[in-house]
Every structure is written in structure tokens, then in C-alpha cells.
Amino acid sequence: MVNRSDVHYFGAGPAPLPTAVLEKASQVLLNYKDKGIGLCEISHRSPEANEILADTKQALSTLLDIPDDYDILFLQSGGSGEFSATVYNLVSVWVEKKRAEIANEVGDNKDEVLKRLRKVVDEELKLDYLVTGSWSKKASEEAARLVGSKHVNVALDARKANDGKFGKIPPESEWNLTPRKNGGPAFVYFCDNETVDGVEFPAFPKSLEGEDAPLVCADMSSNFISRKVDVRKYAIIFGGAQKNIGNTGIAIVIIRKSLLPPQSQHASPELLRELNLPVGPIVLDYPTIAKNNSLYNTLPIFDVWVAGQVMAGLVNTYGIKRIGGQEEISNEKARLIYGALDKYPDVYRVVPDKSVRSRMNICFRVHGGDADKEKAFLAGAEKKGLLGLKGHRSVGGIRASNYNAVSLEGAKRLVAYLEEYATA
């Protein structure tokens, strides 16, 4: 029998989890807090479930130093569901803001308000997308499906700077963001780390900073809790849990409270229908989820518990360093692996440009992408207990996902194999 300690798993998601968390999970699945029933069997509205929610929120807030004027939501949509949710919610906020401005000018004449609002939506509604990889591309396509392609501005398609393939992020001077002098976009979306293509933003875009900055929505599914984040720069941060945080089943949303009632109103479903804009399902409605403490419908509390245990473990491990402690380890593992790849350029080729190499998803080719040699490379890795290294089916190649639960020892084992294979 293969022991867990004999294997180092580099899969991109579902990803490895800390063994200590899984061992504790096996206990609470059978008997949670000596109640005689398991964690998956308790009511999501019980005091125990509310305690789990509170503890998980506190752990995440501590790690990322989340300000008090932000809320944390848990949804069952996964990252892909949030592609839709962000459109539904932020377009609704934008529409209501424009409606209020027009109503302030023309008074109670509802017909005139609607007439002007239709014109404003038709001419001014823009959603900006920075497309730097497969997931941001899918997000932009979902936005176009929901509101129509005329309202979606692909301000950056990184393939145009890289011979039709993802792997670079062009300078911000080449981005075509909706001008702020014209009211700006309803929001700007980007994927902080592209899991498939191995591209990560090295820092927050400077062009999205400033007092008049647009609302920024960032997908951090695959680099969540791996480095410091200035949460205040974002309107919304979201991520699926199944990479760095927990098991498959939930998405986590960090949202500025000013986008929620009572500070901010959303357009009514009736108004959105009048404007031929989509009305989202209630389980993706942020005001509803926030009002109900993420318990509008049956939340998988076990999944929240796992995420909370993972994050509490990081809080206990790194103390006052908070997420900075994990960032140091993540950077060191990535440095070791990329160092080994760069050492043998005749054998390995890292796919993305060096300036945007992901610390989380290290994508490379073996012997120029020779199919037989890459197959042999993977077979050799498996014999050494290095699993999950096959690249995404859409791009092929090799991908080592360097998530938090991949130990420094695991990274060193991979480096040793890279050295052995290259010199054999």
C-alpha cells in the first residue's frame, strides 16, 4: 500500500490539503464535538454551524488583514459561478446608481427616467476585462453571454502580444480601458493567477489605482492566501476553495460593504427586465447572501470547516507575519523549481514570460513538447511519487502546481527529479 507520506501531489485542483486537517476531518465526519453525529449531519442553521462560519471568517480576516468595511460571503457556485455573480451584482449596482442620478434630474416622471436610462445603458454600460489566460477569457465570454458583447470591453487580450498564445502581460500603456472621463466601466475584471497558462500578475495594476479608480473584481482562485493582498484596492475578490484553501464545494467572496444595502442599492428585477438586462438567481445575489450570513440556502458547512481549519493553521504557524510567512515559503518553492528548469534550457522550456511567471502553477515543456518524451517524463515522476504533473488538457505539457499544501520537501523532491532527468 502507498502511504500518503510517500507521495507529493502537484495537481492543479482539487489540490492537496494538509494531512493534519484531513486527519481531523476524518474524526469530525463521524462525531463532531462528541455529539454522536458527524459534521456533515448537523444543521447549517445550528449554533455549531454559525460558530464555524465566524471562526473561518476570522481566520481569513486575520491572514489578509481584511478591513472592517468588507464582508466575507460563502457561496456554492465555485469560481465559474462568480463569473456570472459579479456581472449580475455589479451591473445591478451601476444601473441603480444611474437611475438615481437621472431621477434626481427629472423628478418622479417614471417614463422619462426609464427612457433616459435605456439610452444611458445602451451607450455607456461597459464591463472591462483583462484577458490574460483561459479563465479570464471564459469570464469575459460569460459576461458577453449575459449582457451582450457590445457591453463587454476586452481591454487587454494578451494573446495579441504573444503570437496568439497566452504567456505575457503587455505594458499597461497598451491596455484599452474604458476612459474614466466618460464615466468609466461598471467594473474591471482580471484573474490574478491563471491556473491553466501559468501567468500571474506580479503586482496590482497601477492604472486601476487612484481616487476615481473603477470597481475592481479579481479572481484569485489559484493564488488565494499565498501572498499579501491590499484588500482595499478591490471591490470584490473571489476564489474557489479547491486549490489553496480547502476542498471542492464553496467559493469565497470578499466584498466592499459599500456595494451592499443599506449603503448601496441594487436595481430591482423589474427595472432590469425593462432594460433587457439579466436578473440573476437569488443564490448568487450578494445582498441576499450577506443578509443571511451565507445561510440563505443550505451551505455545506463541512467545506467551510475545512477551509477554516486550513486558514487557522496558517494563522497559528506564522503568527504576526500573517500571510507574509506563507508568501516567503511559496516564493522559495517557486524559486527552487524555476531555478532547476532554467538551469537546463536544452531540456526544459518554461511557457510564460519570466516577468509574469506564476508562483502557483509552473507550466513548462520537456524537449520542446515532444509527446513521447513528455509521457516518459511523467511516468518517471510517478515512479518517484511525484503526481499530478500533467498539464491542462487544453494546452498540454507539464504543470507543477505549487499550492500551500505542497511542502518545501515536496518542491525539493521535484527539483531533484528535474536534475536527474536532465542529466540522465
Side-chain angles (χ1 to χ4, degrees), residues 309-321:
Q309 291 294 305
V310 170
M311 292 188 285
L314 294 179
V315 171
N316 292 334
T317 297
Y318 297 116
I320 60 172
K321 281 188 174 182

Side-chain angles (χ1 to χ4, degrees), residues 329-364:
I329 297 296
S330 297
N331 291 348
E332 175 64 8
K333 290 186 294 176
R335 185 189 67 79
L336 289 171
I337 297 170
Y338 279 122
L341 294 171
D342 289 339
K343 186 177 178 180
Y344 302 99
D346 293 336
V347 180
Y348 307 117
R349 177 179 63 82
V350 177
V351 175
D353 188 76
K354 196 169 185 176
S355 63
V356 293
R357 287 179 176 178
S358 169
R359 301 162 306 117
M360 294 289 102
N361 306 104
I362 299 169
C363 298
F364 61 98

Side-chain angles (χ1 to χ4, degrees), residues 70-71 73 75 82-91 93 186-190 192 204 214-220 224 229-239 252-260 266 284 286-287:
Y70 282 75
D71 204 348
L73 313 178
L75 300 93
E82 293 311 302
F83 295 167
S84 310
T86 50
V87 173
Y88 290 134
N89 285 277
L90 293 182
V91 166
V93 169
F187 65 87
V188 179
Y189 165 97
F190 69 90
D192 205 40
F204 187 85
L215 299 178
V216 175
C217 171
D219 175 3
M220 294 188 181
F224 225 162
V229 174
D230 186 351
V231 174
R232 289 196 180 278
K233 292 182 178 180
Y234 301 85
I236 292 173
I237 294 171
F238 71 82
I252 299 175
V253 174
I254 303 170
I255 180 170
R256 202 178 284 161
K257 288 181 180 178
S258 61
L259 296 172
L260 297 169
H266 290 223
L284 296 182
Y286 292 155

Side-chain angles (χ1 to χ4, degrees), residues 269-315:
E270 294 76 17
L271 178 58
L272 292 172
R273 281 192 285 268
E274 287 272 12
L275 298 169
N276 293 318
L277 291 172
V279 177
I282 199 164
V283 292
L284 296 182
D285 183 65
Y286 292 155
T288 299
I289 302 303
K291 180 181 178 182
N292 289 276
N293 191 30
S294 298
L295 296 172
Y296 174 78
N297 59 331
T298 307
L299 187 68
I301 290 297
F302 174 74
D303 300 339
V304 179
W305 178 88
V306 171
Q309 291 294 305
V310 170
M311 292 188 285
L314 294 179
V315 171

Side-chain angles (χ1 to χ4, degrees), residues 110-413:
K110 293 182 179 179
D111 290 339
E112 182 64 19
V113 169
L114 183 59
K115 177 183 175 182
R116 292 197 187 188
L117 187 56
R118 280 200 179 105
K119 186 173 188 297
V120 167
V121 168
D122 183 62
E123 296 178 356
E124 297 180 18
L125 176 61
K126 292 294 180 184
L127 318 181
D128 282 6
Y129 280 78
L130 307 180
V131 176
T132 55
S134 299
W135 289 113
S136 49
K137 178 175 176 288
K138 287 185 177 182
S140 69
E141 291 169 346
E142 174 63 358
R145 188 183 73 87
L146 293 175
V147 300
S149 57
K150 69 173 286 184
H151 296 302
V152 175
N153 172 40
V154 177
L156 160 65
D157 184 341
R159 293 171 295 182
K160 295 179 180 179
N162 196 40
D163 298 323
K165 296 181 179 180
F166 294 118
K168 291 184 178 180
I169 299 179
E172 294 184 40
S173 59
E174 297 179 14
W175 300 0
N176 185 33
L177 294 164
T178 299
R180 296 180 198 177
K181 65 181 180 180
N182 296 336
F187 65 87
V188 179
Y189 165 97
F190 69 90
C191 181
D192 205 40
N193 183 79
E194 291 282 1
T195 320
V196 173
D197 307 282
V199 171
E200 185 174 29
F201 276 83
F204 187 85
K206 287 184 170 56
S207 57
L208 301 181
E209 295 183 345
E211 291 184 4
D212 63 338
L215 299 178
V216 175
C217 171
D219 175 3
M220 294 188 181
S221 292
S222 51
N223 65 352
F224 225 162
I225 63 170
S226 72
R227 67 179 181 183
K228 295 177 182 177
V229 174
D230 186 351
V231 174
R232 289 196 180 278
K233 292 182 178 180
Y234 301 85
I236 292 173
I237 294 171
F238 71 82
Q242 69 276 10
K243 301 179 187 295
N244 264 333
I245 299 177
N247 56 297
T248 304
I250 57 170
I252 299 175
V253 174
I254 303 170
I255 180 170
R256 202 178 284 161
K257 288 181 180 178
S258 61
L259 296 172
L260 297 169
Q263 297 183 55
S264 178
Q265 297 301 317
H266 290 223
S268 68
E270 294 76 17
L271 178 58
L272 292 172
R273 281 192 285 268
E274 287 272 12
L275 298 169
N276 293 318
L277 291 172
V279 177
I282 199 164
V283 292
L284 296 182
D285 183 65
Y286 292 155
T288 299
I289 302 303
K291 180 181 178 182
N292 289 276
N293 191 30
S294 298
L295 296 172
Y296 174 78
N297 59 331
T298 307
L299 187 68
I301 290 297
F302 174 74
D303 300 339
V304 179
W305 178 88
V306 171
Q309 291 294 305
V310 170
M311 292 188 285
L314 294 179
V315 171
N316 292 334
T317 297
Y318 297 116
I320 60 172
K321 281 188 174 182
R322 300 188 181 184
I323 204 60
Q326 180 59 54
E327 182 174 17
E328 291 174 4
I329 297 296
S330 297
N331 291 348
E332 175 64 8
K333 290 186 294 176
R335 185 189 67 79
L336 289 171
I337 297 170
Y338 279 122
L341 294 171
D342 289 339
K343 186 177 178 180
Y344 302 99
D346 293 336
V347 180
Y348 307 117
R349 177 179 63 82
V350 177
V351 175
D353 188 76
K354 196 169 185 176
S355 63
V356 293
R357 287 179 176 178
S358 169
R359 301 162 306 117
M360 294 289 102
N361 306 104
I362 299 169
C363 298
F364 61 98
R365 305 308 299 251
V366 176
H367 289 293
D370 183 284
D372 291 335
K373 290 181 178 179
E374 289 191 335
K375 187 176 180 180
F377 174 90
L378 291 170
E382 288 197 18
K383 288 179 181 178
K384 294 185 176 295
L386 305 171
L387 307 182
L389 287 166
K390 188 175 182 180
H392 191 273
R393 64 186 182 277
S394 65
V395 295
I398 315 297
R399 174 175 57 176
S401 292
N402 178 38
Y403 298 138
N404 291 355
V406 173
S407 65
L408 185 57
E409 179 193 355
K412 289 180 178 178
R413 289 269 191 98

